[in-house]
Amino acid sequence: MIAAGIVDATLDGKRATPIHGRPVAGIAARAEPIALVVRGGLVESVHAGHVVALDAAGRPVLSAGDPEVTFFARSALKPLQAVAMLRAGLDLDGPLLALAAASHTGEPDHLRGVRRILGRAGLTEADLGNTPDRPLDPDAGARWWAAGRAAEPVAQNCSGKHAAMLATCVAAGWDTAGYLGQDHPLQRTIRAVVEELTGVVAAHIAVDGCGAPLLSTTPIGLARAFARIAGARPGTPEGRVAEALRGHPWWAAGTGRCATRLVAAVPGLIAKDGADGVLAAALPDGRAMALKVLDGSARPVPAVAAAVLGALGAGGPALAEAGQVDVLGGGTPVGTVQALVGVAPPAR
């Protein structure tokens, strides 16, 4: 439960004290503290959220908050969307399939990969329907700004997914116009597969930051879906996505990203983050986890993910390093972000 004075939910979670006159329920009512921000030995901030971890049999073995809470998993749904696209006829593997499930940083090879996906389907950047942006990678972004370039869809972190969505439409014989509409055959197919893999009905549909339909799920549903993808047979759509994510993590994220570091630290792992403090990960034997930070911050995600993976038996020095989040003072580490769930990695 959130700290007293912010949200004071009833025991059944159906009602909560209003904040500024507005009721807070659902995602906030049952959240629990999952990480501390410690500066100079003093707790400076507390992040609350929802976390669940599953064992190889799919049983919850660790949780905080409410594993059944309805939330938007944002870009953590991309591997599920990629499975749906493969089932509909998309012909990608390896780095380009990882890019189809990516929240990339806009580094040069990412953009070249997006153009390759489009070109193989007889399409161009003009067909992309996602939001224009500049590269997330600091160096690539600086070069973009220095060249005086405006925001472009190809540079936005979801352009690989959108290129793959368009290529799927071409492969399936669907009209590429309106491919982002909820009732387009592509989006209906994606919704059916997301609900199948998670075992959760998408009770809410919104619009993601990139303009694509956004489906709700639950933390335990998201973890379940990742377990199914990570443990799938080679050659199946799920198995192809898993192979692409674990074999080409840079293509699915970028230099220095949390998911890139976690996959490099844990052999066999697949991992995908999402905006507003979301991450899911799974191992080939079915061990899996999902987390949602209540305030939407990405800051505690590496520490919490590493601690939960450690609790699932995937710990080690590399994982501890991947989960290290320093608190800086004058450019020097003066504290850390410490997970309150799982097995916290040792401090450096």
Side-chain angles (χ1 to χ4, degrees):
M1 187 172 293
I2 307 302
I6 299 177
V7 176
D8 183 17
T10 56
L11 291 177
D12 64 5
K14 294 180 180 178
R15 179 174 57 83
T17 300
I19 295 179
H20 302 306
R22 297 180 179 180
V24 176
I27 196 167
R30 291 182 179 271
E32 296 179 1
I34 59 173
L36 302 177
V37 180
V38 180
R39 181 186 296 270
L42 179 68
V43 174
E44 183 173 43
S45 304
V46 179
H47 290 286
H50 305 277
V51 179
V52 66
L54 308 178
D55 66 13
R59 297 179 296 245
V61 292
L62 178 156
S63 68
D66 183 2
E68 301 281 358
V69 71
T70 299
F71 81 124
F72 288 123
R74 304 295 296 272
S75 286
L77 282 182
K78 285 176 178 173
L80 287 64
Q81 294 170 318
V83 170
M85 289 188 272
L86 290 177
R87 290 189 187 180
L90 179 67
D91 185 17
L92 292 178
D93 282 294
L96 294 185
L97 180 54
L99 187 58
S103 297
H104 65 74
T105 47
E107 296 170 71
D109 278 349
H110 289 140
L111 305 194
R112 283 191 281 268
V114 172
R115 295 183 181 109
R116 284 179 60 195
I117 294 172
L118 291 168
R120 288 170 54 166
L123 302 166
T124 70
E125 293 176 45
D127 295 294
L128 290 170
N130 57 292
T131 309
D133 203 351
R134 294 176 175 85
L136 292 176
D137 178 72
D139 292 336
R143 291 192 296 268
W144 197 279
W145 279 102
R149 297 182 68 172
E152 299 177 20
V154 71
Q156 201 259 349
N157 73 92
C158 299
S159 62
K161 177 185 75 174
H162 282 256
M165 284 181 169
L166 288 163
T168 301
C169 290
V170 171
W174 298 327
D175 190 354
T176 56
Y179 76 97
L180 296 179
Q182 292 182 18
D183 292 328
H184 189 282
L186 170 71
Q187 302 302 338
R188 293 202 305 268
T189 298
I190 287 173
R191 178 175 180 176
V193 172
V194 167
E195 292 181 337
E196 173 198 330
L197 293 175
T198 61
V200 177
V201 173
H204 300 270
I205 304 178
V207 180
D208 211 338
C210 65
L214 178 62
L215 308 175
S216 68
T217 187
T218 64
I220 195 168
L222 184 63
R224 186 184 301 124
F226 267 67
R228 290 173 175 171
I229 292 171
R233 297 191 310 275
T236 62
E238 294 88 338
R240 290 165 63 186
V241 170
E243 182 180 359
L245 291 177
R246 66 171 60 104
H248 308 279
W250 179 87
W251 286 89
T255 303
R257 296 288 293 278
C258 175
T260 309
R261 300 197 309 271
L262 290 173
V263 172
V266 182
L269 188 74
I270 65 170
K272 183 71 189 73
D273 58 353
D276 279 276
V278 179
L279 184 135
L283 289 156
D285 65 1
R287 288 174 289 166
M289 59 147 296
L291 71 91
K292 161 64 182 175
V293 182
L294 184 61
D295 64 8
S297 174
R299 176 170 60 177
V301 168
V304 176
V308 175
L309 288 169
L312 287 174
L319 181 60
E321 182 70 21
Q324 185 76 27
V325 181
D326 290 327
V327 175
L328 302 180
T332 301
V334 295
T336 60
V337 177
Q338 300 176 8
L340 295 175
V341 292
V343 179
R348 286 191 303 208

